[in-house]
Amino acid sequence: MNMRSRPERARPASDEVRARLLDAAETLLTERRPVAITSRDIARSAGLSDGVLYNHFADKHELLLAALVRRFDRITAAYNADAVQPGVADVVDGLRTVVRRAHAVQVALLPMLANLVGDPALLERFLVEIHRTPLGGEHFTGPVRRFLEGERDAGRVGVVDLEGATDLIVGAVLLQGLLDVLGHRAPEDRDRRLDSIASALLSGLQPTAEVTS
């Protein structure tokens, strides 16, 4: 009779377990509201035992918050890394692209907020976390402001209040994002409205004769 014991199955490392929990939580958050997600749901989706969550997070809400912040960080980091560079293309086309990309990041993030409406405590914690350094509003405004600043410094647009112009764009695309997320507009209508935002702002920026010629 073979008395040798079976080798124990290797346990996943702590970082791997944490990542699996975060991945599972993020997936579940795209499928249902936080109040409908249980700790058991997350553990089973991650392929882990029910109680393992509490070895890495204080409770379900801390895990869900971490998953939400991680997704927010990933989306905004990609948006910033792919920012439109000033002085490369025609200033009109460049600003239109800036507006469309600013709109796209809002459309990607707004459903996250809408999904948290039924859980005010988690929504409040999420809003607090995403406004801490190094996150916060700079992730939305930075690419827009840097483009405008570069075009101004290159003499391709007139003197402009950078903060005011940036706020106008970010606020306008946020409104358009809400219309798209809630109303499901036709793409051609969406693009027309976004391009009109760029055109209206440029007329206020007083493009130089060199740019308009």
Side-chain angles (χ1 to χ4, degrees), residues 51-67:
V52 74
L53 182 154
Y54 300 98
N55 295 330
H56 301 271
F57 299 92
D59 52 31
K60 178 195 77 172
H61 285 89
E62 184 179 285
L63 170 55
L64 293 178
L65 178 63

Side-chain angles (χ1 to χ4, degrees), residues 17-211:
V17 171
R18 183 180 176 87
R20 284 165 61 176
L21 288 168
L22 286 167
D23 289 342
E26 188 172 331
T27 298
L28 288 170
L29 283 165
T30 65
E31 300 171 352
R32 58 184 98 158
R33 294 188 179 278
V35 292
I37 301 172
T38 67
S39 299
R40 177 174 293 183
D41 292 334
I42 300 171
R44 291 187 174 179
S45 179
L48 299 166
S49 59
D50 291 352
V52 74
L53 182 154
Y54 300 98
N55 295 330
H56 301 271
F57 299 92
D59 52 31
K60 178 195 77 172
H61 285 89
E62 184 179 285
L63 170 55
L64 293 178
L65 178 63
L68 288 164
V69 171
R70 187 183 69 161
R71 186 178 179 200
F72 175 90
D73 189 31
R74 186 166 61 244
I75 292 171
T76 55
Y79 167 58
N80 277 263
D82 196 31
V84 181
Q85 298 303 309
V88 175
D90 175 81
V91 68
V92 177
D93 290 339
L95 186 57
R96 285 177 176 172
T97 303
V98 167
V99 169
R100 292 191 183 198
R101 289 185 179 176
H103 169 267
V105 77
Q106 296 287 359
V107 169
L109 292 170
L110 282 169
M112 294 173 60
L113 295 174
N115 196 35
L116 295 175
V117 170
D119 193 334
L122 184 58
L123 173 60
E124 181 179 359
R125 290 177 67 185
F126 176 63
L127 291 174
V128 169
E129 287 300 318
I130 65 175
H131 285 88
R132 295 186 192 277
T133 304
L135 301 180
E138 173 65 18
H139 273 318
F140 297 111
T141 60
V144 177
R145 188 186 65 254
R146 288 191 291 272
F147 175 83
L148 295 175
E149 183 177 24
E151 294 291 5
R152 182 199 63 184
D153 293 348
R156 305 215 305 169
V157 297
V159 177
V160 58
D161 179 339
L162 290 177
E163 297 301 327
T166 299
D167 288 343
L168 285 173
I169 290 177
V170 174
V173 299
L174 174 58
L175 174 60
Q176 296 303 313
L178 283 169
L179 292 174
D180 286 319
V181 169
L182 299 177
H184 307 289
R185 288 186 301 178
E188 58 271 19
D189 186 31
R190 174 202 64 206
D191 292 343
R192 179 183 61 80
R193 294 292 295 276
L194 293 175
D195 288 347
S196 71
I197 292 171
S199 297
L201 186 64
L202 269 178
S203 66
L205 291 175
Q206 305 168 3
T208 62
E210 181 181 29
V211 173

